[in-house]
Amino acid sequence: MANIKSQIKRNKQNEKARLRNKATRSELATRKKKALAAAETGAEDAAEMHRQAIVKIDRAVSKGIIHKNAGARQKSRLAKRIAASASAE
């Protein structure tokens, strides 16, 4: 446990940020999963789900929660898998 006042405050800030980032990462995973499931079942809102997943990824990149190359990779892989499932139907 830290004894220095500024470090105690820093620890509190870091914990808040960690929880916020964790929630965002969890939301990202959920959006990607829903978009992929919608594409595989051929749902009418599959394009909208894909768009929402892309928006979430872009927002996470802009806020520094994930690296920009990681965001680009995730978007690319998601688009690739959605295209593959659409062409399989």
Side-chain angles (χ1 to χ4, degrees), residues 21 24-25 28 53-75:
N21 292 344
T24 303
R25 283 197 187 99
L28 268 178
I54 297 297
V55 167
K56 274 288 177 192
I57 292 170
D58 285 339
R59 182 133 327 127
V61 168
S62 71
K63 290 183 178 289
I65 295 169
I66 59 174
H67 192 273
K68 70 176 187 172
N69 291 353
R73 184 180 63 243
Q74 288 178 12
K75 289 193 299 187

Side-chain angles (χ1 to χ4, degrees), residues 1 3 10 12 22 25-26 29-30 32 34-35 41-42 46 49 51 59 70 74 78-79 82:
M1 186 66 190
N3 293 324
R10 199 74 188 114
K12 285 181 189 176
K22 184 178 172 186
R25 283 197 187 99
S26 173
T30 304
K32 288 190 293 187
K34 283 185 178 180
T41 59
M49 296 288 222
R51 191 190 66 75
R59 182 133 327 127
Q74 288 178 12
L78 182 63
I82 288 174

